[in-house]
Amino acid sequence: MALVGGLDVTHVGTPSFSPYREGIQRSVRKLDARNGVWAVSPRTGNPKRWSVSDIILFCIVSSMQNCFIPPPTTVGCTPMEADAFPTTDESVEEIAPAELKRRIDDGEDVTILDTRATGEFEEWHIDGDTVDVVNVPYFEFIDDVDEDLLSEVPRGDPLVVLCAKGGASEYVAGVLQQDGRDVAHLESGMNGWASVYEAVEVERYDGPGTVIQYQRPSSGCLGYMVVDGGEAAVVDPLQAFTDRYLDDAAEMGAELTYAFDTHIHADHISGVRALDEEGVTGVIPEASVERGVTYADDVETAADGDVFEVGDAEVETVFTPGHTSGMTSYLVGDSLLTTGDGLFIESVARPDLEEGDAGAPDAARQLYESLQERVLRLDDDVLVGGAHFSDAAVPAEDGTYTASIGELVATMDALSVDEDEFVDLVLADMPPRPANYEDIIATNLGQRDTDEEEAFTLELGPNNCAASQESMAND
Ligand SMILES: [Fe+2]
């Protein structure tokens, strides 16, 4: 039902407008394929084929709003629910996100048809050295699947079709299978991809116990768990994986005792509070409280030099401001420094997410001092593990995104230049800020209520916490 001013206009156009309807719909479809937002139905907010009444309603609303066309990121094409999609009679093979990840990691040739709106595709998509990915929005397949359209679709062995939630991809894969193509569709789409969270042991860690690195390929997020003597601690946990940490610790015969945050994150919802509610001791940097943390009394704070014990492994607090005013690293077992977003194996931090462009130069100077006076003073063999990795990062032999301080100094010029040159380097090439970073920061400060579903959605997309998307390590 389409309502304008309470009037039901659903059937207004149908009988008399039919000869034009096809033409209007085709032109609108072409429009949305290019722009990806015009196809948002004013009634449901979901992308769908526009009826004439939708177009009338849109014209009325737009004229009232002076042709207000909101930018794609705010409206976003909230995909139809997966099960609301038309289906074909085809039963299509489904591929699990973890299996797709394995094929990419093993260097297999993977061909992907990404059927999300072009704006979403450009913001973030699955990629890799052996991945061939093409974007054709699913609306193109709703009807009139002609040779021109099929010629845009690559062949794969199989062709992996994906969308945001797994509904559209099953439909499109069905249409292509009817055309004799070898296809499979990605289970739960990009939401499924965002649920891939791998645990890899840091083999070069030589302190007490074991350390694993958590890797989220969809956003490049990294976290750590140290386990020793029946106790465990996690650093930079994601709220989306709260149960995972508890389960993994239990599986390793340990009780999760601490959950540390290195800083107030801008790209993901921290899991520290959720774990604290599960009986784990949440720990945040003392210096971040003054940014307006509302739950400081419920958790512990870590000041420079504070030591926390996990079995025989000591977790020592090392204050390293720059990325944020509260940025804090943790030296685990005298062997691994979890540097948060201060230092990555392929780049250094961006200094503009807390105080914006105006505060970035001073923050960059603070970062320089933290790196030179605190991080690089540690032993060359100490491993560095950041909170993110980008496509430019080259993992170590054990598959983790870690590198020793000696290796980083040898390969990353930014660590050997003087302060002024460093500041210029850091400010020169900063990527777009993480999507939704203000809402995410507000949530992590405790100033915004964000439920789990919204939290998951806010985090989708690239992280962009580094000063550059290109590698600063000339390895
Ligand atoms: Fe960050």
Side-chain angles (χ1 to χ4, degrees), residues 262-268 323-324 327 340-341 344 353 387-388 465:
T262 55
H263 66 297
I264 302 296
H265 291 275
D267 67 292
H268 68 257
H323 174 63
T324 62
M327 183 70 240
D341 285 341
F344 311 103
L353 292 182
H388 290 101
C465 289

Side-chain angles (χ1 to χ4, degrees), residues 36-37 39-41 44-47 70-79 117 119-120 123 457:
V37 264
V40 174
S41 158
T44 65
N46 286 338
T73 48
T74 49
V75 174
C77 293
T78 48
E120 289 175 302
E123 207 177 277
T457 309

Side-chain angles (χ1 to χ4, degrees), residues 138-157:
Y138 69 78
F139 339 118
E140 301 279 359
F141 298 89
I142 297 276
D143 55 18
D144 305 352
V145 177
D146 55 24
E147 281 314 310
D148 286 354
L149 178 60
L150 289 171
S151 66
E152 288 178 46
V153 179
R155 291 182 182 275
D157 176 27

Side-chain angles (χ1 to χ4, degrees), residues 15-341:
S16 56
F17 283 87
S18 59
Y20 305 108
R21 188 172 55 202
E22 290 303 321
I24 292 171
Q25 287 169 337
R26 230 190 309 283
S27 57
V28 165
R29 249 201 328 276
K30 289 280 166 269
L31 268 175
D32 83 49
R34 250 199 318 280
N35 301 323
V37 264
W38 286 80
V40 174
S41 158
R43 282 178 300 163
T44 65
N46 286 338
K48 71 173 294 287
R49 188 170 44 187
W50 280 35
S51 66
V52 173
S53 56
D54 286 341
I55 297 167
I56 293 171
L57 180 69
F58 179 78
C59 296
I60 293 169
V61 172
S62 304
S63 59
M64 283 158 61
Q65 295 174 334
N66 304 323
C67 292
F68 167 64
I69 304 172
T73 48
T74 49
V75 174
C77 293
T78 48
M80 285 164 78
E81 288 311 315
D83 53 13
F85 260 92
T87 56
T88 67
D89 302 333
E90 299 287 320
S91 95
V92 177
E93 185 198 336
E94 197 168 59
I95 181 171
E99 167 57 15
L100 178 60
K101 178 74 171 47
R102 184 203 59 73
R103 292 181 191 182
I104 295 171
D105 286 351
D106 289 358
E108 292 178 26
D109 288 332
V110 170
T111 308
I112 293 176
L113 174 65
D114 190 322
T115 68
R116 293 171 301 150
T118 306
E120 289 175 302
F121 173 80
E122 281 160 2
E123 207 177 277
W124 69 302
H125 57 264
I126 297 175
D127 212 343
D129 297 342
T130 59
V131 175
D132 175 21
V133 57
V134 169
N135 174 229
V136 182
Y138 69 78
F139 339 118
E140 301 279 359
F141 298 89
I142 297 276
D143 55 18
D144 305 352
V145 177
D146 55 24
E147 281 314 310
D148 286 354
L149 178 60
L150 289 171
S151 66
E152 288 178 46
V153 179
R155 291 182 182 275
D157 176 27
L159 172 69
V160 176
V161 185
L162 70 83
C163 65
K165 293 186 175 180
S169 60
E170 186 171 9
Y171 171 77
V172 172
V175 169
L176 294 170
Q177 189 163 283
Q178 280 169 344
D179 182 59
R181 305 288 184 103
D182 179 10
V183 293
H185 87 107
L186 183 64
E187 182 193 334
S188 306
M190 292 303 274
N191 282 2
W193 184 247
S195 306
V196 175
Y197 200 47
E198 297 179 318
V200 185
E201 184 179 347
V202 180
E203 291 171 7
R204 291 191 293 171
Y205 169 75
D206 60 7
T210 305
V211 169
I212 56 175
Q213 181 183 64
Y214 287 103
Q215 306 171 350
R216 193 188 199 181
S218 68
S219 62
C221 284
L222 297 171
Y224 302 84
M225 184 178 287
V226 54
V227 182
D228 186 65
E231 295 183 333
V234 62
V235 178
D236 285 336
L238 308 181
Q239 178 181 279
F241 299 98
T242 301
D243 294 339
R244 172 71 182 275
Y245 306 118
L246 295 164
D247 295 347
D248 285 1
E251 221 169 275
M252 288 188 269
E255 190 197 343
L256 195 55
T257 50
Y258 288 112
F260 296 91
D261 253 340
T262 55
H263 66 297
I264 302 296
H265 291 275
D267 67 292
H268 68 257
I269 308 298
S270 163
V272 163
R273 277 190 290 163
L275 285 166
D276 194 82
E277 280 158 24
E278 296 286 338
V280 178
T281 301
V283 183
I284 61 173
E286 184 180 84
S288 65
V289 173
E290 61 198 48
R291 283 185 68 182
V293 171
T294 63
Y295 52 90
D297 298 338
D298 308 332
V299 296
E300 281 195 23
T301 57
D304 192 47
D306 287 355
V307 174
F308 301 81
E309 286 171 8
V310 181
D312 292 335
E314 290 193 337
V315 178
E316 183 187 341
T317 309
V318 183
F319 185 44
T320 50
H323 174 63
T324 62
S325 57
M327 183 70 240
T328 294
S329 302
Y330 298 102
L331 181 59
V332 179
D334 258 336
S335 174
L336 170 76
L337 186 71
T338 62
T339 49
D341 285 341

